[in-house]
Amino acid sequence: MNISGLGNTYNGINTNSKQYKALKEKGWLSGIMQNEAMMSSEERMIYETFGGRDTIINNLMKQFDSEGDLLNANGVAGMDVTGKGTSWQQLTSVSEEYRQKMFDNVKREFIQENGLSNGDTRKRSDIFKDYQLSVSKDKRLSGTWTLEQYEGQYRAAMYAAVKSANPNWKPGQKFDTSILDNVKRESVESTLVKNGNRLVRNSIDISV
């Protein structure tokens, strides 16, 4: 058995890999060693029985891609905002394909949840993941921010349309879904303008 916790020799770990170097740069490796230093003899025995430092490092390295970029919960790199403040919150171009997918999903959820936003969001997450993987890593954060801006405006337009048709309607209450037939993605987007790093409605006139 390799007592890896007591030295610098590893089994099956490429210490020249970008994943390992990222682990070291983020201070995760030193954190492992600090935890080891606090172990009792009994804890260290159990620790080494289950693979010790080798196992811990191997598992942590899986959280990075081959270029050493941290993967998010969906396995997508380029989504780490650590140390970036709000610099990533910038508007950029998003393909019509994914804007349409998001519009269709917003409409589906709006109808399904009667205007609330507390339903099943798995489809929404899938759309974001697919979009992120469709663009280069350096565009994923700003693209996701922009797609979220569109998403919010699509929902706001649908709310405005239903409210215009029935001023007494409140989210959560059933409504005539045919009202949304006249809410088109193109018509919503035609009303949007940039305001700093956000998309806002300059004016809106949706027939119902």
Side-chain angles (χ1 to χ4, degrees):
M1 179 173 64
N2 173 37
I3 309 300
S4 58
L6 300 178
N8 296 316
T9 301
Y10 302 102
N11 285 329
I13 295 177
N14 180 6
T15 56
N16 291 318
S17 69
K18 291 184 178 180
Q19 293 102 322
Y20 180 85
K21 291 179 179 178
L23 195 71
K24 191 173 182 179
E25 290 172 1
K26 284 185 174 293
W28 292 10
L29 185 58
S30 61
I32 294 172
M33 296 177 182
Q34 289 172 10
N35 287 335
E36 290 174 352
M38 297 172 64
M39 292 179 183
S40 65
S41 298
E42 292 77 11
E43 289 172 333
R44 180 173 290 278
M45 182 179 297
I46 296 172
Y47 177 68
E48 294 297 343
T49 298
F50 287 95
R53 191 185 297 176
D54 284 351
T55 297
I56 298 295
I57 290 177
N58 270 317
N59 287 335
L60 290 177
M61 284 173 62
K62 293 176 182 177
Q63 297 185 37
F64 299 86
D65 70 1
S66 60
E67 296 179 341
D69 289 321
L70 186 66
L71 302 172
N72 67 5
N74 291 321
V76 181
M79 299 302 296
D80 184 15
V81 299
T82 303
K84 295 182 179 179
T86 60
S87 62
W88 56 276
Q89 297 176 354
Q90 300 294 326
L91 294 175
T92 187
S93 60
V94 175
S95 68
E96 182 177 359
E97 174 188 0
Y98 282 98
R99 299 200 316 268
Q100 186 64 51
K101 286 183 177 181
M102 184 58 73
F103 178 87
D104 293 340
N105 187 64
V106 169
K107 183 175 181 179
R108 179 187 64 81
E109 289 185 347
F110 196 94
I111 292 174
Q112 181 175 298
E113 300 298 323
N114 294 312
L116 295 175
S117 301
N118 61 350
D120 185 350
T121 60
R122 286 176 296 181
K123 180 62 176 176
R124 175 182 183 269
S125 296
D126 288 344
I127 292 172
F128 276 118
K129 179 180 179 179
D130 290 345
Y131 166 71
Q132 290 157 4
L133 293 175
S134 75
V135 298
S136 58
K137 281 193 289 187
D138 62 313
K139 296 181 179 179
R140 289 174 183 172
L141 280 173
S142 59
T144 298
W145 169 263
T146 304
L147 191 55
E148 286 178 337
Q149 295 293 305
Y150 280 111
E151 178 188 29
Q153 291 302 332
Y154 297 152
R155 184 176 293 110
M158 293 177 195
Y159 173 89
V162 177
K163 197 71 173 176
S164 177
N166 182 2
N168 295 320
W169 175 79
K170 295 180 180 180
Q173 297 176 342
K174 291 187 177 298
F175 63 92
D176 180 0
T177 60
S178 67
I179 293 170
L180 299 183
D181 290 347
N182 291 322
V183 182
K184 307 296 184 183
R185 177 182 60 80
E186 295 85 354
S187 64
V188 176
E189 291 179 1
S190 69
T191 70
L192 301 180
V193 295
K194 294 182 180 180
N195 182 8
N197 65 345
R198 297 181 181 275
L199 289 175
V200 299
R201 285 177 293 169
N202 185 38
S203 63
I204 188 163
D205 181 17
I206 298 178
S207 302
V208 295

